[in-house]
Amino acid sequence: MIRQTMSQSLLALTLTLICWAAGAQEIDWNKVQDEAIGTLQEYIRINTSNPPGDTREAADFLTRILEREGLPVTRYESAPGKVMIYTRLKGAGQGKPILLLHHMDVVPADASRWKVDPFSGALIEGDVWGRGAMDMKGQGVAQMFAFLSLKRQGVPLARDIILMAVPDEEVGGALGARWMIKNHYDELDPEYVIDEGGFGSREQFAEGKLVYGISVAEKKVVWLKVRAEGVAGHGSQPHPQNPNDHLVRALARLLAEPLPTAQLPVLETMTGRIGELARNKFTNAIQYSTISLTSLRSGVGDPPKINIIPSIAEATLDCRVLAGTTTDAWLQEIRRRLGDPKLTLEVVYESDEPVVTPHETPLFRALEAAIRRHDPEAIVSPIMLPYGTDSNAFRPRGVKSYGIFPAVLSAEIVASMHSDSERLPVGELSKAMRILYDALRETAGTR
């Protein structure tokens, strides 16, 4: 009886695969690319600038596309205007889901600084221009069409694949991914997340080498406020208790010393695979803890009176700290560098402790293999990100989270993110869709 049941199951599986193979047709990626370009242009035209970060219209737009494909969409609103959606392709339950994650909100744009309307989605010389083209509506569209291609092909899946679009990432994600994790995690419960972070480049990681970096970790974010208090007075009569003098001298001491690095396994893997890294602000930020002086505030009146010595001066510091350094240890280091015990130091914000996702996993290997099928000379390496993403909310739960937009981007295109020339080459959008499709089919498809 058991042998007969097994034979029947095997026969059913065989028939399913034969029917799928017979019904599936070669994907016309040129047609899919045209569809994706038009979708990205429409998506960019929906202004989701944060603040205020209203994603209702964007969520409606994505929902219409998914429902036309016969996919049920679940919708939540964490606060007025903060809408998120998800849908899924059902698998056989032989593993936890893979979650494709992107955020709908974008940073604001000053239209006066752009050569095109930042919410036009203009197609100019092979690039789609507009706020969110890179961060991260372009990647969201690539994820969606890889996802839809799996459905259209009827690819049998061993596990679920979830496509989710969230708000609020650009201001920390409390009402987006983190809200979903807190309130509806059991509906997701993924083994893997594919999010933003890494990309391919011929110049960003190493000179003369094509490298795809897949992010597996992020630096800890520590935002600080430094405050000096003194005695107010007339600007014609300088005195030693001017808080501006104390603050400026302390900041000069703080920034004069070389920044610390650490021997971390992910950095060792990077240099082992890539070799000598290029020298630029991105690779510098990967290898060292960093401090950016982001604001100075002082003076009396608005605008400040030039002839008044104020009683208070403040500065803000954006610190990005390598894994392994605690907040307490970092604050001790900052105080030592400032060298003035009269200054007060306030932690304005700190992120979760960094968790490193292992790269020895089936999904990482599938991404690596798919990348090399499209770019045989590519070096694929895990990397650490100098900035934060929604992935950092999933890693503490043991979710293997990878940040990758699998496209080759020039340094100029990478630098356009958040700038007044943000744009995405359409050829690389197409490549990203195909690589994601291949990696998902390999990891989630039945064998």
Side-chain angles (χ1 to χ4, degrees):
M1 178 64 71
I2 294 174
R3 184 175 299 170
Q4 183 179 6
T5 302
M6 290 178 64
S7 298
Q8 290 172 340
S9 298
L10 182 59
L11 177 61
L13 177 60
T14 302
L15 289 172
T16 298
L17 292 174
I18 290 172
C19 291
W20 168 71
Q25 298 179 351
E26 188 76 20
I27 298 175
D28 183 347
W29 286 110
N30 289 329
K31 182 178 179 181
V32 177
Q33 174 180 293
D34 290 343
E35 190 179 358
I37 292 169
T39 300
L40 177 56
Q41 290 179 291
E42 288 187 66
Y43 198 6
I44 288 171
R45 289 170 192 144
I46 301 170
N47 186 340
T48 53
S49 297
N50 198 352
D54 189 327
T55 56
R56 287 174 291 188
E57 186 179 351
D60 291 344
F61 169 71
L62 297 177
T63 297
R64 287 193 296 272
I65 294 171
L66 296 169
E67 289 183 341
R68 280 200 302 266
E69 301 282 338
L71 291 161
V73 176
T74 300
R75 178 185 180 109
Y76 289 110
E77 189 165 0
S78 58
K82 304 291 186 177
V83 173
M84 62 209 77
I85 61 167
Y86 76 85
T87 187
R88 75 175 66 219
L89 297 176
K90 292 291 292 181
Q94 297 172 17
K96 287 187 174 184
I98 299 173
L99 173 62
L100 303 176
L101 175 66
H102 87 275
H103 62 86
M104 296 176 279
D105 62 319
V106 300
V107 296
D110 179 358
S112 69
R113 306 295 298 176
W114 286 66
K115 73 175 187 179
V116 299
D117 179 348
F119 298 102
S120 66
L123 181 59
I124 303 174
E125 297 179 349
D127 296 342
V128 177
W129 283 65
R131 179 60 82 228
M134 277 285 294
D135 185 17
M136 77 174 285
K137 291 179 177 179
Q139 184 166 343
V141 168
Q143 290 179 352
M144 183 167 68
F145 279 95
F147 179 91
L148 291 178
S149 294
L150 290 167
K151 182 183 186 301
R152 292 167 179 176
Q153 291 296 102
V155 176
L157 300 175
R159 66 173 84 209
D160 291 3
I161 301 176
I162 302 171
L163 180 74
M164 185 164 76
V166 298
D168 211 47
E169 191 275 344
E170 294 293 359
V171 292
L175 295 174
R178 292 179 184 274
W179 186 89
M180 277 296 296
I181 290 170
K182 181 180 179 180
N183 294 280
H184 299 283
Y185 187 78
D186 59 332
E187 298 173 31
L188 306 175
D189 194 20
E191 180 176 359
Y192 298 108
V193 167
I194 297 179
D195 189 16
E196 63 183 331
F199 52 90
S201 176
R202 298 184 184 277
E203 49 195 328
Q204 198 79 1
F205 299 103
E207 295 293 339
K209 297 179 182 179
L210 174 56
V211 177
Y212 282 77
I214 301 177
S215 64
V216 298
E218 298 169 11
K219 293 165 74 176
K220 183 178 176 67
V221 180
V222 182
W223 290 345
L224 302 175
K225 180 184 290 185
V226 186
R227 180 183 174 101
E229 297 188 9
V231 176
H234 200 286
S236 65
Q237 302 169 54
H239 60 74
Q241 296 184 63
N242 184 333
N244 288 336
D245 294 345
H246 286 266
L247 182 61
V248 168
R249 289 171 186 148
L251 292 174
R253 290 189 293 268
L254 171 72
L255 300 174
E257 290 188 46
L259 294 164
T261 187
Q263 296 299 314
L264 301 175
V266 64
L267 297 180
E268 292 172 355
T269 301
M270 279 184 66
T271 55
R273 291 192 178 201
I274 299 172
E276 184 178 358
L277 299 181
R279 296 184 180 181
N280 56 50
K281 65 180 182 179
F282 184 81
T283 56
N284 178 75
I286 288 173
Q287 298 175 82
Y288 297 90
S289 292
T290 59
I291 305 167
S292 288
L293 174 59
T294 53
S295 75
L296 293 165
R297 184 180 180 87
S298 185
V300 177
D302 185 16
K305 293 283 290 181
I306 295 176
N307 63 345
I308 299 177
I309 295 172
S311 58
I312 295 172
E314 294 178 339
T316 56
L317 305 173
D318 183 348
C319 304
R320 307 295 171 119
V321 185
L322 289 172
T325 301
T326 65
T327 300
D328 287 343
W330 182 250
L331 293 178
Q332 184 176 352
E333 174 68 6
I334 295 294
R335 289 190 179 97
R336 183 193 67 78
R337 287 167 171 254
L338 289 170
D340 187 341
K342 293 182 180 179
L343 299 179
T344 60
L345 197 58
E346 175 190 350
V347 178
V348 177
Y349 169 80
E350 63 175 310
S351 65
D352 299 328
E353 292 297 329
V355 176
V356 180
T357 294
H359 64 275
E360 299 291 343
T361 68
L363 179 56
F364 190 98
R365 288 191 289 269
L367 286 165
E368 185 173 10
I371 288 167
R372 286 186 172 150
R373 277 195 292 274
H374 290 268
D375 283 316
E377 79 277 24
I379 299 168
V380 182
S381 177
I383 64 169
M384 176 178 287
L385 285 183
Y387 42 81
T389 71
D390 282 332
S391 287
N392 217 33
F394 284 92
R395 290 192 178 105
R397 288 180 173 258
V399 181
K400 304 175 189 74
S401 300
Y402 298 117
I404 179 65
F405 181 45
V408 179
L409 306 173
S410 68
E412 183 180 4
I413 292 294
V414 174
S416 77
M417 182 172 64
H418 288 204
S419 80
D420 52 16
S421 59
E422 187 172 353
R423 61 199 188 276
L424 178 64
V426 297
E428 296 307 313
L429 174 65
S430 177
K431 178 191 288 184
M433 291 187 299
R434 299 177 70 172
I435 290 173
L436 288 171
Y437 173 86
D438 288 351
L440 291 168
R441 186 180 60 183
E442 172 65 25
T443 310
T446 57
R447 292 187 177 88

